[in-house]
Amino acid sequence: MLRSLWSGVGGMQAHQVALDVESNNIANVNTVGFKYSRASFTDMLSQVSNAATSPLNTGLGGQNDKSIGLGVGIGATTKVFSQGSLQNTDVKSDLAIEGDGFFVVSSDKGVTQKFTRNGEFLFDANGNLVTTGGQVVQGWVRDSNLENLTDQTMFKVDNSGPAQGIQIDPSMVMPARSSSSISLRANLNSGRKIEQMESISVLDSAVRTKADGTNPIYDSKFKLQQNAEDMGVLFNSEGDAMALTEDQGIWVSYKNSQMLREIKDTSGVSTLGLNGALISFSNDSNASGISSLTAAKDAINAATKQTGVTAFIENGVLRLENKNELDGNENLKNIIITDSGTGVFANFANGDADITSFRYKYTTNNEPDFTTGQFKTTEQLRELMQHDANMVKNPDGPYKDSTSTVSVTVNQYGMFEILNKDDGNGQDDILNVLVTSYSSDNIASNVLFKDAMAALNTTALVEGGKPTTSERFTKAIHNASIDVFDSLGSKHNVRIEFYKSGPLEWKFRAIVPTPARLVGASEAYPNILEGGRVTFNGDGSLAGIYPPAIELEPQNGAKTPQRIDLAFGSNKSFDGLTSVDKISETYAIDQNGYQAGDLADIRFDNNGTLLGAFSNGRTLALAQVALANFANNAGLRAEGGNLFSQSSNSGAPTIGAPNTGKRGGISGSKLEMSNVDLSRSLTQLIVTQRGFQANSKTVTTSDQILNTLLALKQ
């Protein structure tokens, strides 16, 4: 009977412990990072009266032992480290662990370490990241030297060394970083219709520009660049590509061609080679009544469609005229005797000619043959036209740029302009300009080019009067600009201006505001670097860029020269500049410099990295929180204050960065709530209460039985 009494007492004691554990769980239902415990009941050692026996060969079966339990006890109180729910907070230094691991804290500079799941951290007056109890959070801190930061190191903290207390200077300043690279992703339109254009470069009436355009001269009047540009890649004012191909071109007539000859009155067959056509007729004026002069005129006019030449009779003289107004080949232009005349045409000799119309044909050759009217650039076409116009006006005078009385220029609007100057000789030499297209059996007419130049057409280009101009010629352009920084943090805007210069080539210039300079620029314009060139492959990918970098001289005391790489993409790739039939546009432009900045704000990422936001718009990794994990979390010893310490059964801590090994991640501005489930705890409280009550009943029942035994003695 005494055994049942003591079993009841033991049960009450065990349930009291369970009640204490569950009450503690309920009490910490709102404790951040708290992990609930459970009491593990174990039965006491049983008292065996009879041991178990095995079956006998006599036929008697085996018997179980006869034992009596001696009560219950608490074997252990075990913490359950399940994940608590996360709660958003407005405190940027609050942290929560998602997964396994513990924050590492210390009160003696890391000599002894405690561990916690409570991430209620804050910064003290010295910039230490501490718990509410003053324990310093352990981790890794960036070196205080911020002068040599790179894009690769700005967001990474070295966590290979031992963990230490996290301390951040609240007055931290990030020094300025000079820009060393400009990256650009953009497309330069390769199509035959463009949206972004500007007028071609100004050209004056002297031979002053180089064919390659790498060393232009700036016009003193309009302060605009003089640059010879490839006519084959130009556009009209509507943005339509001229797309000139080899030998395509125009005729430009500066006067009507004329020739006067007396006609011999003879009978019989008369012949004449005119502009490659054979004129032949037979006439006897006595028999026909038609004079030889009239017959000759009629014969020439019958072939006008083949020669472009019309014949007239003036004062008894045959006058030939070609207004040079027909499109076509050389047989329709000028007046050229290609075969000496016979009969009435005896006064026409082979080689007689009046040349006032000139053919200008495009070539891709970098060294065109001027004697055949070949041109490639705007300057070469301008030079040819000026030479020929002066030879028509003054056929007997030697031609010089300095003494030319007809000037051909490209004005500030991108128009070819012809001006008939007063030469002071007392004669009013009027020119009439007429542009027609050139074509042959193998060469098609380029209508866009002809139409643009045909705006020059005039019947009265008066000496000393107003000039005549073509339509506006344009070039495909695209501009991109970005601010870069020097070593003092001063800002300089770099503008990159691209313009199409070949079928697979774009040239560019770099411009910075004065007083800054660019190494390699001209003395007259030291802030403008000319001669950049970008080439592309047949699929539109980048083939090459020159120069690969520019050098900036800030002129303000900053380190100089400052090299800035032009990171416009990789060879044969589409990761930077491309040139396909698509609108010219910039997708992204960036540089790697910045101004000096003060620490303005902080936040933590999911790797536990403390990121500092500075007033210059840059973000820098300042520190990283360490996490520790154990072989047996339940073996940790609770220290109070939400802290745990290592025990012999927890194993040694393994400290490392979040999201490595078996360590979890970090959520900033969040806290992990207690994992106590009130519904479970309250239910368990009822069960424990009933268990205690039942064990107390065992004691009272045993007491009653003892009283009955005492009554038997009486």
Side-chain angles (χ1 to χ4, degrees):
M1 295 300 177
L2 291 178
R3 287 194 298 267
S4 64
L5 181 63
W6 290 108
S7 293
V9 171
M12 291 172 62
Q13 291 175 333
H15 281 81
Q16 179 60 55
V17 173
L19 186 62
D20 293 341
V21 171
E22 209 57 58
S23 297
N24 183 63
N25 290 339
I26 294 173
N28 285 281
V29 68
N30 288 318
T31 302
V32 175
F34 179 80
K35 302 302 179 185
Y36 78 88
S37 299
R38 66 185 182 189
S40 300
F41 289 87
T42 59
D43 60 341
M44 302 292 285
L45 180 65
S46 297
Q47 184 178 26
V48 181
S49 299
N50 295 319
T53 61
S54 60
L56 300 177
N57 293 330
T58 59
L60 183 64
Q63 293 181 311
N64 295 327
D65 67 344
K66 182 171 68 174
S67 61
I68 300 174
L70 299 180
V72 67
I74 299 296
T77 55
T78 305
K79 284 195 173 293
V80 179
F81 285 88
S82 62
Q83 178 73 49
S85 60
L86 302 187
Q87 177 180 340
N88 291 318
T89 70
D90 294 327
V91 182
K92 294 180 180 179
S93 58
D94 284 346
L95 299 178
I97 301 174
E98 291 187 85
D100 196 12
F102 297 84
F103 297 111
V104 184
V105 297
S106 177
S107 59
D108 53 7
K109 298 183 178 181
V111 176
T112 58
Q113 295 176 332
K114 305 295 182 181
F115 309 95
T116 182
R117 295 280 295 193
N118 184 356
E120 287 183 290
F121 301 143
L122 51 89
F123 287 96
D124 66 11
N126 292 330
N128 294 301
L129 185 63
V130 298
T131 68
T132 54
Q135 300 271 345
V136 180
V137 180
Q138 304 294 290
W140 301 273
V141 182
R142 173 181 290 279
D143 188 342
S144 59
N145 182 10
L146 302 181
E147 294 183 357
N148 298 314
L149 296 173
T150 65
D151 294 338
Q152 290 74 29
T153 62
M154 288 190 69
F155 298 99
K156 185 177 181 181
V157 176
D158 184 8
N159 55 22
S160 59
Q164 58 181 309
I166 295 178
Q167 183 180 24
I168 303 300
D169 182 2
S171 60
M172 180 183 298
V173 175
M174 180 187 293
R177 173 184 173 185
S178 59
S179 303
S180 62
S181 175
I182 295 176
S183 60
L184 175 65
R185 289 189 63 246
N187 182 65
L188 304 177
N189 194 345
S190 67
R192 299 184 68 167
K193 179 70 176 180
I194 58 171
E195 298 78 17
Q196 300 178 37
M197 68 193 88
E198 69 177 19
S199 299
I200 60 175
S201 298
V202 166
L203 297 172
D204 64 19
S205 60
V207 182
R208 295 179 57 188
T209 59
K210 291 189 176 183
D212 59 8
T214 58
N215 294 295
I217 297 175
Y218 286 78
D219 183 270
S220 59
K221 180 180 179 182
F222 300 109
K223 302 298 183 184
L224 297 174
Q225 179 195 22
Q226 293 200 67
N227 191 8
E229 296 172 284
D230 188 343
M231 289 290 298
V233 295
L234 297 185
F235 299 78
N236 63 14
S237 58
E238 302 298 323
D240 298 312
M242 301 292 176
L244 285 166
T245 58
E246 191 73 24
D247 285 337
Q248 280 191 329
I250 55 173
W251 291 94
V252 180
S253 174
Y254 302 97
K255 270 187 177 182
N256 293 346
S257 300
Q258 295 194 37
M259 185 177 291
L260 297 175
R261 292 289 187 275
E262 292 183 354
I263 295 298
K264 293 185 177 182
D265 189 8
T266 61
S267 60
V269 177
S270 299
T271 61
L272 175 66
L274 178 62
N275 287 1
L278 179 62
I279 310 297
S280 177
F281 74 96
S282 179
N283 181 61
D284 185 346
S285 58
N286 293 326
S288 65
I290 300 174
S291 68
S292 296
L293 185 61
T294 301
K297 181 199 72 169
D298 293 342
I300 291 174
N301 289 341
T304 297
K305 291 184 178 180
Q306 288 77 43
T307 65
V309 178
T310 304
F312 302 91
I313 298 174
E314 290 185 359
N315 300 321
V317 176
L318 184 67
R319 180 174 67 85
L320 305 185
E321 182 180 49
N322 192 343
K323 294 182 179 181
N324 299 314
E325 59 188 2
L326 297 179
D327 297 324
N329 59 25
E330 55 275 2
N331 293 331
L332 297 173
K333 300 296 178 182
N334 300 308
I335 301 175
I336 303 173
I337 305 304
T338 53
D339 200 356
S340 296
T342 63
V344 298
F345 296 124
N347 289 332
F348 291 88
N350 185 26
D352 289 348
D354 187 32
I355 307 297
T356 60
S357 183
F358 299 84
R359 184 184 71 172
Y360 305 119
K361 55 183 180 179
Y362 175 76
T363 180
T364 56
N365 190 344
N366 289 324
E367 297 182 1
D369 183 0
F370 275 25
T371 63
T372 63
Q374 285 187 329
F375 69 93
K376 182 177 182 181
T377 68
T378 52
E379 168 59 23
Q380 290 162 353
L381 178 58
R382 184 211 65 78
E383 184 181 358
L384 282 168
M385 291 175 63
Q386 180 168 289
H387 173 274
D388 296 337
N390 278 279
M391 293 304 295
V392 170
K393 182 178 179 182
N394 301 297
D396 299 325
Y399 169 74
K400 293 182 180 179
D401 282 337
S402 58
T403 60
S404 61
T405 62
V406 180
S407 69
V408 179
T409 60
V410 175
N411 63 24
Q412 70 268 33
Y413 307 110
M415 302 172 176
F416 281 83
E417 181 177 288
I418 305 178
L419 175 63
N420 189 5
K421 304 176 186 177
D422 187 353
D423 56 12
N425 63 359
Q427 298 180 3
D428 188 11
D429 294 320
I430 298 176
L431 298 179
N432 60 292
V433 181
L434 181 62
V435 177
T436 53
S437 63
Y438 170 74
S439 62
S440 67
D441 293 340
N442 300 319
I443 301 169
S445 172
N446 190 303
V447 177
L448 289 178
F449 181 44
K450 176 254 186 177
D451 288 346
M453 293 296 290
L456 289 166
N457 293 353
T458 177
T459 59
L461 188 61
V462 179
E463 188 176 88
K466 294 182 179 180
T468 182
T469 59
S470 70
E471 287 187 2
R472 176 179 175 233
F473 283 84
T474 64
K475 54 190 174 185
I477 64 165
H478 183 67
N479 302 325
S481 64
I482 191 170
D483 291 331
V484 299
F485 300 90
D486 60 29
S487 60
L488 296 178
S490 297
K491 188 184 299 184
H492 307 269
N493 183 267
V494 176
R495 179 178 174 87
I496 308 293
E497 297 183 348
F498 297 92
Y499 58 96
K500 192 170 185 179
S501 56
L504 295 173
E505 178 185 272
W506 287 63
K507 291 184 178 178
F508 68 89
R509 63 178 67 93
I511 305 173
V512 296
T514 56
R517 297 168 174 262
L518 290 171
V519 175
S522 66
E523 293 184 4
Y525 295 87
N527 65 318
I528 303 177
L529 180 65
E530 299 284 354
R533 184 173 67 254
V534 181
T535 56
F536 297 93
N537 299 306
D539 59 358
S541 62
L542 184 65
I545 177 173
Y546 178 83
I550 59 175
E551 290 185 297
L552 173 69
E553 294 180 341
Q555 302 293 312
N556 62 352
K559 294 179 181 179
T560 185
Q562 178 181 337
R563 178 185 170 93
I564 303 176
D565 293 329
L566 301 180
F568 290 174
S570 307
N571 187 28
K572 296 183 180 180
S573 72
F574 293 85
D575 59 354
L577 280 180
T578 60
S579 183
V580 296
D581 190 354
K582 184 177 177 294
I583 185 173
S584 293
E585 58 183 331
T586 296
Y587 308 123
I589 184 170
D590 198 9
Q591 55 84 41
N592 60 353
Y594 45 79
Q595 295 174 306
D598 301 320
L599 182 60
D601 199 5
I602 59 98
R603 68 178 179 87
F604 285 89
D605 67 9
N606 62 357
N607 290 318
T609 301
L610 176 62
L611 302 176
F614 289 78
S615 59
N616 59 3
R618 295 286 166 164
T619 300
L620 180 65
L622 303 177
Q624 188 174 25
V625 172
L627 291 185
N629 58 2
F630 297 87
N632 177 24
N633 291 340
L636 291 170
R637 182 170 61 249
E639 298 281 345
N642 284 344
L643 298 177
F644 297 94
S645 62
Q646 175 185 348
S647 75
S648 57
N649 194 39
S650 66
T654 303
I655 298 176
N659 288 318
T660 62
K662 295 182 179 180
R663 291 171 286 272
I666 298 291
S667 291
S669 298
K670 294 181 181 180
L671 290 175
E672 182 186 11
M673 296 294 98
S674 169
N675 67 348
V676 174
D677 184 348
L678 271 180
S679 60
R680 186 206 65 81
S681 294
L682 292 174
T683 301
Q684 191 64 33
L685 196 64
I686 295 172
V687 173
T688 303
Q689 178 188 5
R690 293 306 183 193
F692 186 92
Q693 290 174 339
N695 279 277
S696 67
K697 197 67 175 177
T698 300
V699 173
T700 58
T701 301
S702 297
D703 179 55
Q704 291 174 356
I705 292 174
L706 284 174
N707 287 333
T708 300
L709 290 175
L710 290 174
L712 289 175
K713 184 179 179 181
Q714 296 175 354

